[in-house]
Amino acid sequence: MKILKSHRAVFVGIILSGAQLLTVSTAVAQSAQIIHIPSFVEVQVGDTFQISTQMQVSNEPISVADVHMVFDVQYLEVLQVTPAQMPLLNYHVPPVFDNLSGKIDMAAFQFGNDPMNGDYELVNITFRALAETPVTHISHPVNTFPTSLLAYAGENKLDNVAPLSVSIVSETIVSVDNLGDGGVNMAVWPNPAVTEAIISLTTAEFGRVNLAVYDLGGKLVEEIFEGEVFAGVERQFRIDVARLANGLYKCSLMRDGHAVSRSLVVGK
């Protein structure tokens, strides 16, 4: 589905007005962000899932909301975009998408100057997962035009755009005869990792496991997963390592009293 011709002229006007808002003031007061609920999704190939894109505002008026997202068409397909049911928003450009170029766009405004405080839904998006990948991102370009913005009276209030990451896994059943190390196959990549790492896990038997990350002193850094896994079915788990200090960590899996560990190197 491509942008309708009847919206193109309006869309260009909104984009240009957004660009003017960015250049009106050099002293920009930034106190709002764009978030995605959820911010991380793990799905299987062929699954559909929905995310909500919202603006998070801290006691500030917002008169213009331009949202521009890009995604990798190799891994994701947009099935539907739905405007939020917010009576205060007027959509100059109703949410539109293009599965050929991998883009989602919308532009909205509201009248008045009353401060806003809280989370406000902008658009709901339904995706389909097309191919397996450890992680793919739906992002907001920051160095190319057009860019996302939340603005009022010529000032861009947008302080941050939270990332949206999707891990797409295959439900392929692997031969349990090939699983060594106590019937567990576990790998960590990329390694070293800078922003995030993926743990791939397959067990030979159904059972309950605990997966956690520890530092070299044995101190628990983060519990990744505790629950049941099925025999021969690969599971993948994402670790946000951007907040961790550089160094060596241990990813440890406990299953029926048996421990399997893999090293994780964090290097920025």
Side-chain angles (χ1 to χ4, degrees):
M1 173 177 171
K2 297 183 179 180
I3 299 174
L4 298 178
K5 291 182 179 179
S6 59
H7 290 309
R8 285 178 177 168
V10 177
F11 181 63
V12 171
I14 297 301
I15 296 302
L16 291 176
S17 66
Q20 291 170 349
L21 285 168
L22 286 171
T23 57
V24 166
S25 173
T26 56
V28 178
Q30 297 177 318
S31 54
Q33 62 178 332
I34 294 174
I35 63 174
H36 303 286
I37 306 296
S39 60
F40 175 74
V41 181
E42 182 182 80
V43 295
Q44 294 179 349
V45 174
D47 284 353
T48 62
F49 61 96
Q50 186 178 82
I51 64 102
S52 172
T53 298
Q54 304 178 5
M55 61 178 179
Q56 191 174 74
V57 187
S58 178
N59 201 34
E60 289 282 353
I62 298 293
S63 58
V64 174
D66 280 10
V67 177
H68 307 283
M69 291 178 274
V70 295
F71 60 94
D72 192 330
V73 298
Q74 177 181 353
Y75 301 112
L76 295 172
E77 175 188 25
V78 176
L79 300 180
Q80 185 179 26
V81 290
T82 307
Q85 301 301 313
M86 284 181 59
L88 74 164
L89 282 180
N90 299 276
Y91 288 91
H92 283 297
V93 177
V96 292
F97 63 91
D98 185 346
N99 279 320
L100 294 179
S101 59
K103 294 181 179 180
I104 304 168
D105 299 286
M106 60 149 284
F109 73 94
Q110 70 154 338
F111 293 109
N113 57 4
D114 294 332
M116 305 175 73
N117 192 49
D119 297 348
Y120 300 85
E121 194 172 73
L122 295 171
V123 63
N124 294 306
I125 309 169
T126 302
F127 289 96
R128 176 187 287 131
L130 300 179
E132 185 177 0
T133 180
V135 65
T136 185
H137 303 284
I138 295 91
S139 59
H140 297 247
V142 294
N143 296 319
T144 59
F145 181 81
T147 60
S148 296
L149 63 86
L150 301 174
Y152 178 76
E155 292 185 353
N156 183 18
K157 305 286 185 175
L158 184 59
D159 177 55
N160 181 54
V161 179
L164 170 58
S165 302
V166 181
S167 176
I168 305 174
V169 301
S170 172
E171 201 179 15
T172 302
I173 305 299
V174 301
S175 172
V176 297
D177 295 334
N178 297 327
L179 298 181
D181 206 353
V184 174
N185 183 15
M186 186 166 69
V188 182
W189 80 90
N191 205 355
V194 177
T195 59
E196 64 185 14
I198 303 294
I199 298 178
S200 172
L201 169 68
T202 310
T203 62
E205 298 178 356
F206 169 83
R208 191 170 187 85
V209 302
N210 177 274
L211 179 63
V213 178
Y214 297 86
D215 63 18
L216 287 184
K219 180 180 178 181
L220 176 66
V221 174
E222 181 180 358
E223 185 175 74
I224 304 300
F225 174 75
E226 183 172 10
E228 295 176 336
V229 293
F230 292 88
V233 178
E234 182 185 18
R235 295 290 304 274
Q236 293 183 348
F237 303 93
R238 172 182 175 270
I239 308 172
D240 179 9
V241 303
R243 59 185 178 78
L244 300 181
N246 289 356
L248 182 62
Y249 297 84
K250 182 175 69 173
C251 302
S252 180
L253 176 78
M254 292 294 299
R255 174 178 169 272
D256 295 333
H258 180 77
V260 177
S261 298
R262 297 290 183 268
S263 296
L264 167 64
V265 178
V266 176
K268 301 178 179 67

